[in-house]
Amino acid sequence: RPNPLSHVRHLGVHDFEQWERLNAGFSAEEGIPLPGTPDERERTFRRSAELRRWWGYFEDDRLVAMACLNAVYKRLGQVGGVYTVPARRGLGFSKATMNALLADSVQEHGLERLILFTGEHNEAARHIYTTLGFSTIGDFALLVCAPMP
């Protein structure tokens, strides 16, 4: 059986189209609108890719899972954008991608702690994160609204 990490790598600027497809799926599943215009998303992705903050799991050159360091402050990072296409879930792709993110967070980015947020009832994600060493600290809700005039 091949090593699942052999399929995981940093996403590069050339991966934008595949990333955009997964990002759209993630946003639709979470019920949140895609931020900005396609050009703005591409610029944001390119900056993050150049900083080596996106990881992806590939099957036959097709991106099927992804994870990101959304934010970094000093020695703390925030993980986000963890997503696997629905047809490929339950095969360990997110876990392999997260393992690469965790290793690189220490080795490349010099981080000491990571935080992430997931849905209170997303048992599959919560299980993966606890097997990777994350601990649950209460419940969290993020409310988004349009600015008031």
Side-chain angles (χ1 to χ4, degrees), residues 3 7 9 20 28 30 38 41 47 55 58 60 63 68 71-72 77 79 100 103 109 111-112 115 131 137 143:
N3 177 356
H7 297 280
R9 66 169 172 80
E20 178 74 344
E30 293 296 317
R41 286 192 302 278
R47 278 192 303 272
W55 291 260
F58 289 81
D60 300 322
L63 181 64
C68 179
V72 173
V79 177
H109 298 283
L111 301 178
E112 294 176 354
I115 60 170
T131 65
I137 304 173
L143 304 177

Side-chain angles (χ1 to χ4, degrees), residues 4-148:
L5 288 178
S6 67
H7 297 280
V8 178
R9 66 169 172 80
H10 284 103
L11 298 184
V13 295
H14 60 281
D15 294 311
F16 173 73
E17 288 180 18
Q18 291 199 69
W19 172 85
E20 178 74 344
R21 180 178 49 82
L22 264 67
N23 187 47
F26 173 80
S27 294
E29 194 169 304
E30 293 296 317
I32 56 176
L34 285 170
T37 67
D39 286 342
E40 290 168 337
R41 286 192 302 278
E42 184 170 5
R43 280 193 300 274
T44 300
F45 171 79
R46 285 179 172 273
R47 278 192 303 272
S48 292
E50 288 167 355
L51 292 169
R52 298 173 62 87
R53 291 190 181 171
W54 275 104
W55 291 260
Y57 189 102
F58 289 81
E59 277 189 319
D60 300 322
D61 297 324
R62 183 170 178 259
L63 181 64
V64 294
M66 64 183 187
C68 179
L69 277 176
N70 283 345
V72 173
Y73 178 74
K74 295 185 180 182
R75 314 268 297 158
L76 174 68
Q78 179 188 350
V79 177
V82 181
Y83 181 76
T84 300
V85 295
R88 307 307 292 150
R89 291 185 182 157
L91 300 173
F93 299 162
S94 282
K95 188 170 186 175
T97 305
M98 284 293 297
N99 273 318
L101 181 153
L102 291 169
D104 289 347
S105 291
V106 173
Q107 296 166 1
E108 282 190 38
H109 298 283
L111 301 178
E112 294 176 354
R113 289 202 181 267
L114 294 173
I115 60 170
L116 61 79
F117 302 99
T118 191
E120 180 181 1
H121 301 290
N122 188 344
E123 294 302 325
R126 291 169 71 99
H127 174 74
I128 290 170
Y129 301 142
T130 56
T131 65
L132 293 170
F134 286 87
S135 300
T136 301
I137 304 173
D139 297 320
F140 179 81
L142 175 63
L143 304 177
V144 180
C145 69
M148 301 285 284

